[in-house]
Amino acid sequence: HHPNNLLVGLNLRDRRMFDMYRIDLTTGAVMLDTENPGDVLGWATDANFVIRAAVATNPMDGSTILRVRDGKDSPWRDLITWPFGENGGPVDFTADGKAIYVETSIGADTTRLVKVSLADGKELETLAQNDKVDVGAVEIHPDTHVVQAVGFNYLKNEWTVLDPSIKADFDYLATLQRGEFGLVNRDLADNKWVIAYDTDDGPVSYYLYDRGKKKADKLFVSRPELEKYTLATMEPVVIKARDGLEMVGFLTVPPGKEAKNLPLVLNVH
């Protein structure tokens, strides 16, 4: 909806921090849009492409602060504070600008995707949660700003589809090729999707998917030279530690070899 406007962070005013500038791609005009008070590391826009959220850090206690404002000329106010050790941050605004989608670990062992009121910071609902792993990729419709799917990567990325209108699409894409897929981009009509498949034994593959025909055509791979080789796969394994904690690992065995009596390299990370 704003094809001729670009928001860019530039440290022109003060080399120590980045303010946000709005650039008109037609005229080339560069205007200061939002000034950084000094502690902001990231910004978020609402459905009208107005900067209305900021993520700041408090160097005194290591906490992270989500600030919001009701409009471009409205004052900023703290909405949520994550103490040191907690994780969270904004994902997107709702279409009406009255609520914001947020990832937060407060009240749980893993991050949840929740909908929060802009008026008072209260959680309105939990959209997605997994007790074993944090929220991963979040797919949001660019026009309606409805959360359509949430990825959770425990052993591998698995999509939790929240929007029934894309359920059949995700079911089809899950069977198209081995690997984990993600939606790279889509056309304005939301009929053509660019899909990327990340595999453990080959390069990233890109497809053009037609939603109406339920058909995908392969476009290219990122590193075609890799297709000449037989690469090893990564098989997920869950290892139970002495205290009962279940740790996720991935076992890679040379192609054609049995996973028995082989030398082992353990990469702890």
Side-chain angles (χ1 to χ4, degrees):
H1 298 296
H2 304 271
N4 296 317
N5 280 273
L6 196 66
L7 283 169
V8 178
L10 300 170
N11 61 342
L12 300 178
R13 180 182 59 87
D14 188 328
R15 293 300 187 192
R16 298 171 299 176
M17 65 192 74
F18 285 80
D19 302 315
M20 292 303 293
Y21 288 79
R22 193 173 294 268
I23 299 177
D24 189 312
L25 298 180
T26 303
T27 65
V30 179
M31 297 183 60
L32 177 64
D33 184 277
T34 305
E35 193 171 295
N36 192 335
D39 59 355
V40 173
L41 300 179
W43 311 88
T45 60
D46 64 9
N48 296 316
F49 206 37
V50 176
I51 295 176
R52 288 186 53 205
V55 178
T57 58
N58 184 340
M60 302 303 295
D61 60 12
S63 61
T64 300
I65 306 159
L66 174 60
R67 294 193 189 120
V68 296
R69 59 182 176 180
D70 297 323
K72 185 181 184 307
D73 299 319
S74 302
W76 290 97
R77 65 182 190 277
D78 293 353
L79 188 72
I80 302 174
T81 298
W82 288 275
F84 177 77
E86 298 284 359
N87 297 307
V91 178
D92 193 15
F93 285 83
T94 56
D96 60 11
K98 295 181 179 180
I100 187 170
Y101 303 121
V102 170
E103 294 179 17
T104 181
S105 64
I106 295 177
D109 290 334
T110 57
T111 58
R112 301 170 292 128
L113 182 65
V114 299
K115 183 179 178 182
V116 174
S117 169
L118 262 294
D120 52 19
K122 291 183 178 179
E123 291 187 13
L124 301 176
E125 62 176 310
T126 297
L127 299 177
Q129 180 180 6
N130 188 303
D131 293 336
K132 291 186 175 181
V133 67
D134 291 340
V135 169
V138 180
E139 193 58 51
I140 297 178
H141 194 283
D143 283 335
T144 64
H145 292 266
V146 169
V147 178
Q148 296 186 292
V150 180
F152 292 99
N153 195 335
Y154 181 60
L155 301 178
K156 63 178 182 177
N157 183 65
E158 296 183 350
W159 289 102
T160 297
V161 177
L162 304 179
D163 184 354
S165 70
I166 67 167
K167 180 69 166 58
D169 301 304
F170 272 56
D171 287 345
Y172 168 79
L173 294 171
T175 64
L176 181 63
Q177 178 184 310
R178 183 177 176 274
E180 303 173 4
F181 73 89
L183 205 169
V184 178
N185 214 330
R186 50 179 123 190
D187 65 358
L188 293 177
D190 199 25
N191 187 52
K192 300 288 182 64
W193 290 359
V194 176
I195 304 295
Y197 284 85
D198 196 0
T199 62
D200 50 6
D201 61 348
V204 179
S205 301
Y206 290 87
Y207 288 79
L208 183 62
Y209 169 58
D210 188 311
R211 296 186 66 201
K213 298 177 180 178
K214 291 292 185 290
K215 183 177 181 297
D217 295 317
K218 193 171 184 177
L219 298 175
F220 60 91
V221 297
S222 60
R223 298 178 181 180
E225 290 294 314
L226 284 179
E227 292 189 308
K228 299 177 182 178
Y229 303 95
T230 300
L231 304 179
T233 60
M234 293 168 48
E235 299 302 327
V237 294
V238 177
I239 305 167
K240 182 165 287 191
R242 287 174 297 181
D243 60 0
L245 180 68
E246 292 185 342
M247 302 182 295
V248 174
F250 297 91
L251 178 64
T252 298
V253 177
K257 295 285 186 179
E258 184 183 0
K260 185 177 181 181
N261 297 329
L262 295 175
L264 175 69
V265 174
L266 183 62
N267 181 17
V268 181
H269 66 97

